[in-house]
Amino acid sequence: MQQALSFTFHRDELLPLADSHREGFLKATPFRHVVIDDFLPAEVLEPVLAEFPEPRDIEWQRFDNAREVKLALADTERMGPATRHLLAEFNGQVFIDFLERLTGIEHLVSDPHYDGGGLHQIRPGGFLKVHVDFNRHRRLDLDRRLNGLLYLNKDWEESYGGHLQLWNKDMTACEHRILPVFNRFVLFATTDDANHGHPEPLTCPDDRARRSMALYYYTNGRPEEEVLDEHDTKFKQRPGEEWKSSFRQTARRWVPPALADLATRRK
């Protein structure tokens, strides 16, 4: 734990890493992105994983509909000390310098509120359909420019699924499938053609979950070619895909939660 709480980012380590990946980021398809494995010292992440809250431990924000079945936590008061410290480092000046060097995007601003970010957790059967993210932070009045995802899944097998899928602009093909393995960092530009998601239901064992740390970064304005009307998350259907609500999801929209739970158990 002490190593986790004393960990800090250093420019002499991060900036060369940014230089080595910058060209790959800028030239990546179907949109700008990079995947970096073994991103942090393992001893920094072990305490974060150990204190990662279970669904029953705290009150998570729950999403349960035909487009997404997942849990999210943005309130740092409900997180452990190692997690809070690492999130603060990701929001700090040294890491921002790294992101600007890597992406060429200047004047980045981190989000102290973790709006839409923080900790994410998907249990067996859960999913997140392909989408593009909301493009404005309404509280800060800033443009969303980068998504960072740090995966926390040790001994994650290919058969468990949970791949982050990157789709092309017209939603005709998935160009990349990224397995969410432990200590893998994924960074991509947040634009209206950045179609991504975890659309297939998770098939890991019942005692496992797909866990990640989500980090978003902003600027005051964005390039003219990227300026579009403000919007929330936009979900997009894959070829031949239909979104169908489960019995539980339908019931929750029309009846009190207690009755919906009872009906689901009986079913």
Side-chain angles (χ1 to χ4, degrees):
M1 173 65 79
Q2 188 57 41
Q3 286 178 296
L5 294 178
S6 61
F7 171 77
T8 57
F9 285 117
H10 297 279
R11 291 183 182 88
D12 60 354
E13 297 173 351
L14 285 184
L15 296 187
L17 184 65
D19 291 338
S20 68
H21 286 284
R22 180 170 182 174
E23 183 176 3
F25 174 85
L26 296 174
K27 293 183 177 179
T29 61
F31 46 85
R32 289 168 291 163
H33 74 277
V34 68
V35 180
I36 306 176
D37 287 338
D38 300 320
F39 190 66
L40 296 172
E43 58 269 21
V44 172
L45 287 186
E46 292 288 355
V48 174
L49 187 59
E51 66 189 22
F52 200 98
E54 294 291 336
R56 63 181 178 274
D57 292 341
I58 60 168
E59 185 178 350
W60 288 77
Q61 184 179 8
R62 295 176 180 269
F63 299 85
D64 189 359
N65 55 67
R67 294 169 176 79
E68 53 186 336
V69 178
K70 68 174 188 177
L71 303 172
L73 178 64
D75 185 354
T76 56
E77 280 195 330
R78 298 177 182 179
M79 300 176 191
T83 304
R84 295 177 71 168
H85 177 78
L86 184 56
L87 283 171
E89 281 297 300
F90 276 123
N91 270 4
Q93 59 178 258
V94 175
F95 196 74
I96 294 295
D97 287 348
F98 162 73
L99 293 176
E100 292 183 342
R101 182 81 155 253
L102 171 61
T103 66
I105 300 174
E106 298 180 340
H107 312 302
L108 285 170
V109 178
S110 58
D111 176 19
H113 310 289
Y114 304 105
D115 186 14
L119 301 182
H120 290 173
Q121 180 170 195
I122 296 180
R123 307 295 294 182
F127 52 83
L128 176 60
K129 296 298 184 181
V130 177
H131 62 283
V132 293
D133 292 308
F134 67 86
N135 59 1
R136 291 281 294 176
H137 194 306
R138 292 173 180 169
R139 182 171 181 176
L140 300 180
D141 195 27
L142 295 173
D143 292 270
R144 185 166 166 181
R145 302 297 303 282
L146 291 172
N147 278 25
L149 299 170
L150 180 67
Y151 291 111
L152 302 171
N153 308 299
K154 297 190 73 173
D155 304 317
W156 194 260
E157 299 181 9
E158 189 84 21
S159 62
Y160 295 172
H163 299 77
L164 174 66
Q165 296 188 10
L166 308 184
W167 282 71
N168 61 5
K169 185 175 182 179
D170 55 7
M171 286 297 296
T172 57
C174 173
E175 292 196 13
H176 294 284
R177 298 171 74 251
I178 302 167
L179 198 66
V181 298
F182 184 72
N183 207 2
R184 173 169 283 173
F185 181 68
V186 180
L187 181 74
F188 61 90
T190 310
T191 57
D192 270 32
D193 60 358
N195 300 314
H196 66 282
H198 152 37
E200 298 295 336
L202 198 62
T203 55
C204 65
D206 290 341
D207 62 345
R208 300 294 302 271
R210 181 186 188 271
R211 294 170 169 171
S212 60
M213 184 175 286
L215 309 145
Y216 307 143
Y217 301 90
Y218 301 80
T219 58
N220 182 11
R222 64 192 314 144
E224 184 176 349
E225 65 271 15
E226 293 184 12
V227 174
L228 294 169
D229 292 337
E230 179 179 337
H231 63 76
D232 292 324
T233 301
K234 290 183 178 180
F235 287 91
K236 300 187 178 183
Q237 289 179 314
R238 296 173 292 166
E241 183 176 46
E242 294 183 14
W243 296 328
K244 295 181 179 180
S245 297
S246 67
F247 177 84
R248 181 191 70 254
Q249 292 163 352
T250 302
R252 287 187 185 280
R253 290 200 297 268
W254 295 101
V255 300
L259 292 179
D261 289 340
L262 179 61
T264 301
R265 289 197 297 271
R266 287 181 174 177
K267 182 177 176 66

